[in-house]
Amino acid sequence: MNRLRKAQKRKPMKKNVPDRDAQFDNILKLRSEYRKAGNPVISMDTKKKEYLGNFYRKGRLYTLEELQVFDHDFTSFAEGVIIPHCFYDLRLNIGYVQVGTSHDTSEFACDSFRHWWYGYGCRIYPNATSVLILCDGGGSNSSRHYLFKQDLQILADEIGIEIRIAHYPPYCSKFNPIEHRLFPHITRACQGVIFSSLEVVTDLIAKTHTKKGLKVFVHVIDKVYETGRKVAETFKSEMRIVFDKILPKWNYRAIPIN
């Protein structure tokens, strides 16, 4: 009874519905513009972090002998960690997974993009003038923090291509295409298998496919990323990040240096 009374006293969650609906309309418009111009539209997100070790994983698996595992993910027993940072090309139906072994930071997110661009993007889209990235608003690519924008600006200067970011509104990350076009299929490919080593994980992810032609490429970024980094003091005054007139908190571009 006490719990019920406490629940009734809670204030309803505030949602800026007009902004949310306007952002969905804006994303649809941007996707159409980039598709007509032949520029890439990439959906980006980080999948759930997993621990390497003899830990239970949901799903069924055919084996020749009984497997015994820990029923909880005790971090002290873990042999490492894997952080799958993923890109999904909406036009080509291809997933690109960069597996990190350190921390999910903005630097890691930009390194993932860097690997995708030099390994695949610049060859698939040689005439691209801009890249549209669809992502949620939290985590390593937070819409509120300037650290991601700083690393994004460095990346744009390096590749010489404009990078446009469109964040999905809060509590709407499940509408990001990668959430239902890539993540479930990776989960299905890995279900029930014990993540005993990094090689096992990458082999499983690389086997992800669907009847509609989904393909997945995997790369390991074995680099230690620093946590607690701060934005440079001069970045906000000197940055070349251009915020859109429509919902600038969720829409902006990193313009490369001339």
Side-chain angles (χ1 to χ4, degrees):
M1 190 64 179
N2 291 335
R3 291 182 179 178
L4 179 60
R5 289 176 179 174
K6 290 181 179 179
Q8 291 175 344
K9 291 181 180 179
R10 292 175 183 170
K11 295 181 179 180
M13 183 183 300
K14 294 182 179 180
K15 294 184 179 180
N16 198 328
V17 177
D19 282 359
R20 182 195 65 187
D21 293 346
Q23 180 63 354
F24 274 102
D25 291 339
N26 184 54
I27 288 176
L28 286 176
K29 178 182 176 182
L30 288 173
R31 287 177 58 173
S32 177
E33 290 176 356
Y34 273 69
R35 183 174 63 253
K36 291 178 181 178
N39 286 326
V41 180
I42 304 298
S43 178
M44 177 180 79
D45 200 1
T46 304
K47 203 174 184 301
K48 179 178 176 289
K49 177 175 65 175
E50 300 280 358
Y51 290 104
L52 293 177
N54 193 33
F55 301 122
Y56 168 78
R57 300 196 69 257
K58 187 178 180 180
R60 294 184 178 182
L61 182 68
Y62 291 101
T63 62
L64 298 177
E65 58 183 10
E66 182 181 12
L67 298 177
Q68 294 185 352
V69 297
F70 296 113
D71 60 349
H72 286 79
D73 292 351
F74 298 104
T75 56
S76 57
F77 293 162
E79 299 175 7
V81 65
I82 55 170
I83 305 171
H85 192 277
C86 308
F87 293 91
Y88 175 74
D89 189 317
L90 275 68
R91 183 173 71 87
L92 300 179
N93 192 28
I94 298 178
Y96 306 90
V97 182
Q98 282 66 239
V99 179
T101 58
S102 177
H103 302 285
D104 185 19
T105 65
S106 62
E107 186 182 5
F108 172 50
C110 290
D111 278 352
S112 296
F113 181 93
R114 182 177 287 106
H115 176 267
W116 170 79
W117 176 253
Y118 286 123
Y120 306 94
C122 64
R123 289 182 285 180
I124 298 173
Y125 302 99
N127 300 319
T129 57
S130 180
V131 179
L132 173 62
I133 300 181
L134 309 176
C135 54
D136 58 23
S140 58
N141 49 252
S142 175
S143 61
R144 296 175 296 143
H145 300 155
Y146 277 84
L147 188 59
F148 173 62
K149 297 177 178 65
Q150 175 179 285
D151 291 337
L152 195 70
Q153 184 65 70
I154 295 173
L155 180 61
D157 291 343
E158 178 182 333
I159 68 174
I161 297 292
E162 174 190 276
I163 303 175
R164 176 185 280 273
I165 300 294
H167 293 279
Y168 281 88
Y171 313 108
C172 297
S173 60
K174 292 302 179 182
F175 289 92
N176 196 350
I178 198 172
E179 292 280 353
H180 49 271
R181 295 189 185 179
L182 179 62
F183 284 178
H185 305 300
I186 292 178
T187 300
R188 175 175 49 81
C190 298
Q191 65 181 356
V193 181
I194 309 305
F195 286 172
S196 56
S197 67
L198 187 60
E199 289 73 19
V200 169
V201 178
T202 54
D203 288 345
L204 288 171
I205 295 177
K207 293 178 181 178
T208 303
H209 68 281
T210 64
K211 292 181 179 179
K212 292 187 177 181
L214 173 68
K215 295 187 294 184
V216 177
F217 297 96
V218 187
H219 175 73
V220 177
I221 300 180
D222 192 12
K223 175 181 176 181
V224 178
Y225 290 97
E226 177 187 355
T227 58
R229 291 173 58 227
K230 302 295 183 182
V231 179
E233 295 181 358
T234 59
F235 175 70
K236 290 184 180 181
S237 60
E238 299 177 356
M239 69 177 180
R240 294 185 306 283
I241 299 292
V242 179
F243 293 89
D244 291 5
K245 294 181 179 179
I246 300 176
L247 298 172
K249 59 184 176 181
W250 295 331
N251 301 283
Y252 49 88
R253 296 173 292 148
I255 308 298
I257 191 171
N258 295 327

